[in-house]
Amino acid sequence: MPDLARHPVVRRLVATALEEDLGRGDVTTGAALPADLQATATIEAQEPCVVAGLFLAPLVWGRLDPALVVEPPLRDEGAEVPRGAALVRVRGRAAPILAGERVLLNLLQHCCGVATLTRRFVRAVEGTRAAIVDTRKTLPGLRLLEKHAVHAGGGVNHRFGLDDGILVKTTHVALGGGTAAVVARVRARAPTALRVQVECRSRSEVEAALAAGADALLLDNQSPDEAHALVAFVGGRVPVELSGGITLANVAAYAASGADRISIGALTHSAPAVALHLCIEARG
Amino acid sequence: MPDLARHPVVRRLVATALEEDLGRGDVTTGAALPADLQATATIEAQEPCVVAGLFLAPLVWGRLDPALVVEPPLRDEGAEVPRGAALVRVRGRAAPILAGERVLLNLLQHCCGVATLTRRFVRAVEGTRAAIVDTRKTLPGLRLLEKHAVHAGGGVNHRFGLDDGILVKTTHVALGGGTAAVVARVRARAPTALRVQVECRSRSEVEAALAAGADALLLDNQSPDEAHALVAFVGGRVPVELSGGITLANVAAYAASGADRISIGALTHSAPAVALHLCIEARG
Amino acid sequence: MPDLARHPVVRRLVATALEEDLGRGDVTTGAALPADLQATATIEAQEPCVVAGLFLAPLVWGRLDPALVVEPPLRDEGAEVPRGAALVRVRGRAAPILAGERVLLNLLQHCCGVATLTRRFVRAVEGTRAAIVDTRKTLPGLRLLEKHAVHAGGGVNHRFGLDDGILVKTTHVALGGGTAAVVARVRARAPTALRVQVECRSRSEVEAALAAGADALLLDNQSPDEAHALVAFVGGRVPVELSGGITLANVAAYAASGADRISIGALTHSAPAVALHLCIEARG
Amino acid sequence: MPDLARHPVVRRLVATALEEDLGRGDVTTGAALPADLQATATIEAQEPCVVAGLFLAPLVWGRLDPALVVEPPLRDEGAEVPRGAALVRVRGRAAPILAGERVLLNLLQHCCGVATLTRRFVRAVEGTRAAIVDTRKTLPGLRLLEKHAVHAGGGVNHRFGLDDGILVKTTHVALGGGTAAVVARVRARAPTALRVQVECRSRSEVEAALAAGADALLLDNQSPDEAHALVAFVGGRVPVELSGGITLANVAAYAASGADRISIGALTHSAPAVALHLCIEARG
Amino acid sequence: MPDLARHPVVRRLVATALEEDLGRGDVTTGAALPADLQATATIEAQEPCVVAGLFLAPLVWGRLDPALVVEPPLRDEGAEVPRGAALVRVRGRAAPILAGERVLLNLLQHCCGVATLTRRFVRAVEGTRAAIVDTRKTLPGLRLLEKHAVHAGGGVNHRFGLDDGILVKTTHVALGGGTAAVVARVRARAPTALRVQVECRSRSEVEAALAAGADALLLDNQSPDEAHALVAFVGGRVPVELSGGITLANVAAYAASGADRISIGALTHSAPAVALHLCIEARG
Amino acid sequence: MPDLARHPVVRRLVATALEEDLGRGDVTTGAALPADLQATATIEAQEPCVVAGLFLAPLVWGRLDPALVVEPPLRDEGAEVPRGAALVRVRGRAAPILAGERVLLNLLQHCCGVATLTRRFVRAVEGTRAAIVDTRKTLPGLRLLEKHAVHAGGGVNHRFGLDDGILVKTTHVALGGGTAAVVARVRARAPTALRVQVECRSRSEVEAALAAGADALLLDNQSPDEAHALVAFVGGRVPVELSGGITLANVAAYAASGADRISIGALTHSAPAVALHLCIEARG
């Protein structure tokens, strides 16, 4: 995902978020402060976290006032920082700094939240072959940023949408006339650049998927023991991904199955925000 | 917030979310299923929750195929439902039902998550005078829906942005030359329809705010005991809101202070998703 | 209304106005002049006026050619200037200066028109306590600029839309079951940052509004004498605004009532344009 | 201008106007009235006027609630109606009727204002050969509607923008090296469907324009007598238009010159709003 | 590519094309015909062709007038039709039929042109294993339609953009430090759903690509004989695609190499338009 | 068409084309190359051609990375260049250069294709009075660029849309009640800046058009001999344009008729792409 800061989806998100918060303008700051009061401000972490999304700072503030000077990010994407760490620094007119404060914090506290949760899962499976993978269970409008934060946290990205990856779910099999027929149709119709992954919930489904020529498997809603057995059965013929009901408490047990990937919706849909705040002071 | 389903911000969010997920089209379903296969599908709760956002179903599916028949929501907004409850039902071509499934679930699991968390806070303060109030700490692009979900959960909405409410923060006071000066300037400049709320962190700040003619106070980062003392000091002269560090574990202690409102950012920025799923079957 | 020049609504308006006028391009100038002919141009007032909107000049011209050099506004917003006063000066290629001329003049002649008319009303009530206030009777798409121009003219802004202020009109009372019921519902449902203003047309309506706990009153369509009597009856308990049928000829009589505010739709919907023109000459 | 009601510029204007006024929603009506209260409403003229823009009613209300039933316009575009005339009638839920009221009235009071002022000029020149013509001195964003209103008022449309008509102004002549050179370049470069009109301020300029092959003339800032003499000099060789300083008081004198067209910026930039209001009542 | 007619990219293209052609409105038809003149019209092929894009007819005309009745397409996508074949039929008001005529014909003549050219290539390689494949060499803004037309013509779609397929070109290899290093990095970083195709121009490059684990090869700018030798060398280990300099005259020779796919930019960037026209007549 | 590079339609087209191709990002380059690898690249012609559209290079690349340095175009618009000519040069980070390569080439190969084909027609009629003219038979979304390319190729632009030129077609005459009635209505209703051109297919239609006061004629679908006779009959009273069935093989014969203009749809709808390619190398 190169050059995310210039991606039109990210730029539109920033614009939308600012319009959502500013409405017709910041009536408090506009009245409370002299229009040209100068200030310096820093965003700090109020708890330990993994950093993600700092490149958003100049997008938010630059849109409000191109004269604001936003320093390059004080930390790398993916860095683990302690409570109190300074992440972003800006100087210029106080009014636009304050007008953008909440939007920027809302973006960063979520990106850092996703990266931090991902890192915890990654740490929990260290020493196994399993990669931690995201899903399409993302917050609407925030997917590109969330996928970036997963990557910053040490995870691996699954497909970004319905068009850049093929996942034949059990629903498709049931509605479409069986694994063999469905996989054959998909192979014939879909663009040739895409692998065909097939969701399975039992050994017989795994057998059918392999027989149909699946390029990869997704084993959904298995217990760790069941996962272990199915992974062994596949025996490395194709990559295997596990999903469903996986938490920080049990992810190590799933990883011990030898699966190649473990995908977790909570990385993006339920990551708690990281506490961040902005410290601002006037400049002489 | 009347007629939320037709609000342009909501409609643009749905469009954005669909473009984000569909990209150039659903390559799996498009190849796996006959284009005109008919189906019926139901969204069910996989855990007990408070319902919010069900009016989104026809927006999502109607945009993909106006011929889909989406039944009126099976539950009222704000209803508490058990695991297994059916929430939404649709029938028509299977392909667009599946193409919209993930986007709709992503929206609903977040709306229901916010409503459910809000309800838990509301329950925790029952019997006190305190209302549970949201903040501007929302997920970018989702504020209108989140504010609606807070309302559905039994909470009360604070301002929607920087333009429809005045909150003089300690930052404004520090940068702007003191409480009296800042409040006076704000009264003179801001539109006359807006009350002036002032953030305070100590008794002396409360005294200054009242002397300056504040219409309401926000007491930030107080312990329950401190909150109790300050609320007593205010003595009902103006409404008092508490914020900062308030959790399900301590909200009752804060509410016991007699404050009018308790505002909690986590309602919107850290509500865990509610587990929902779609059951679909072919129709003869 | 901080940083109006960067507000997305203003930027979209400028873009829309330019597309409206330029269409596929300026066929006359493009053919008539050498593409790189350099010029200097000045916008001048052709009649005495109050200045508003000069910050729009770099928005219009900068969009056509970022290399144009637009000087800082030659007059402050709200300044009273004589016939012949220079307001804006620009230099650079003649073609984009001419391509933006009409759009910029159309914007400025209206902003100055609104500010000038507002100033006349403000002058007419000098020495009374009455502020001159605008309304929502604005020209579609131009409200933010018009509200700014009212402020530049010395007026005070009423609410900017249906969402940032509460005005219970007689229509709401009639349809909603009476003043007491409607005001109670509004208090319970509306965001807490907003005052509740109630429109009244008689003493009994004023009494009902005050009994219901209105924070402010709007007395509509009263004669000056009636207004005087009602203002006296209110006796400063809440702010009182007058509206309806108020002109330059009678505004002083209304202001003599002691009302706090007088709102006038004509400030924005019927302000005559101020005559402005652009003088341009080639540069050696 | 066929099918104006479906033109994307008009549709975007209506959307923009509604977003401008509604913001995040109508907090008063949403709280004051039951969501499904049914009503009937009528827009009436509060003063005699010429009608224009009534096709906008279903655009505004339909966007808020497609279930609203807007009757076909009660009057034809261009009709002269007395005080009290009913123009538009709608029935359905009261909330969206009230939410759209102000936007629709703001649009209609301006359209009717333009049409009414145009009609007064048209009446003033009856019996002469002069048509009343509009200009590009329009309110930004409203040009298509204003041009329609001019037509409804009996006027004739000049070019809609810089791209669909050629007007060589004295500025072009001065900067571009003289009438002959400029007209020749324009003829060679501009699309062939467009006539070449040349602005003149004296007899010598008229002679130069005719010699250069102008298809039409614009005589700017002439007295009625000067206009008379120049029109006589042209003697019907090309159509002649007059502009500059023309008011209701002197338009007849200008028209007596025998000019083909008289163009007046005030038709669109300074037309006073026509007083309209909405009467609404609940339906059993 | 399911449900292409409702894809937002297609809908925006239709809107853009109509705005491009209509500008401020159809001045000829609006003046020439009675506004409510009824007509029936048919689009006919003026030369034999392969049909594509007929689903666009209701999109174009429905946007101009929802009351127009557009019959379901008279031919299937991909059908070969003779000169004179009727493809689309519409009835309703003549003005919007004519206003949309050119835009619709412009779209259809290009879609049919692409499908027809594709079919000629497909016919030329019948009896070989080679599929005819498109490229990213498309006309800007028209890619989705063109890819659909290729499919209708019997071709197969390559990736739709830079994000839904991996193609390691010789440029990447040269700039990135060699085949092995680049392929390894791409495998580690790119989303797991995508195959890795590597462009090669010689046997040594093929060997390097296979050694690096390429999932597919693209042999660029080979003569038919060279292609034959390299395909034989690969021997079915991975799919092989040929590109560069392939025309209707030589495509059979290339297909005889045994390659799996032959990609041709001219399918989309140089397909001659198919001659179509609209026949319209008034209805009694 | 002044300042085409800044025209919003062109800017939107570039944005659309980039979003179409990049989707969620360039997965190959992003993974294959170091993010900050520096390079120099040149676009070269792979066959002789007429140059058009080179001003697009900074628009495409600047949107991906404003730090890229795009040299001023190496050739003038309209220049005839040999195979191997360098047209555009850029330096900066390799990743955005490659990310924009295909979009820019797609734009340029079409613009140059249109200009080159136009030039061939222009050369074919040298020595006659006939100008080569474009039509509205353009590729949707590309009209402004195509019209520019026609001009660069030496052609003349006909109207840009339905609003900036009047062409009374035989369809209008048939549906509208005859030439005289239709032309009279059009004259009365259409904006006065536009000439009235009338399409004719026979001498009697020419006579009717002239009698009705047509300002120009379009003779459609005539043989060269028929064209010759009709042009002679008109005898210079109004300009005459020929269209229909005109190719490089017969255009000289048509031009020999003495017609003023010859319009050819193939200039824009069927111009073969010119072969261009990008050469890139790393910079130390």
Side-chain angles (χ1 to χ4, degrees), chain D residues 256-271:
Chain D
S257 69
D260 301 276
R261 303 176 201 124
I262 297 177
S263 57
I264 301 158
L267 295 184
T268 49
H269 68 52
S270 296

Side-chain angles (χ1 to χ4, degrees), chain D residues 1 151 156-158 160 195, chain E residues 27-28 30-31, chain F residues 166 184-196:
Chain D
M1 205 175 2
H151 185 263
V156 169
N157 295 324
H158 205 284
F160 280 61
R195 290 204 178 87
Chain E
V27 291
T28 309
Chain F
I166 295 171
R185 272 206 300 275
V186 167
R187 278 216 179 282
R189 286 282 305 279
T192 58
L194 305 176
R195 291 202 177 86
V196 179

Side-chain angles (χ1 to χ4, degrees), chain B residues 37-58:
Chain B
L37 179 73
Q38 300 292 308
T40 304
T42 307
I43 292 178
E44 294 177 1
Q46 295 177 287
E47 57 180 317
C49 66
V50 175
V51 165
L54 300 190
F55 59 83
L56 294 162

Side-chain angles (χ1 to χ4, degrees), chain A residues 41 50 62 165 190 230 260:
Chain A
V50 175
L230 286 175
D260 301 276

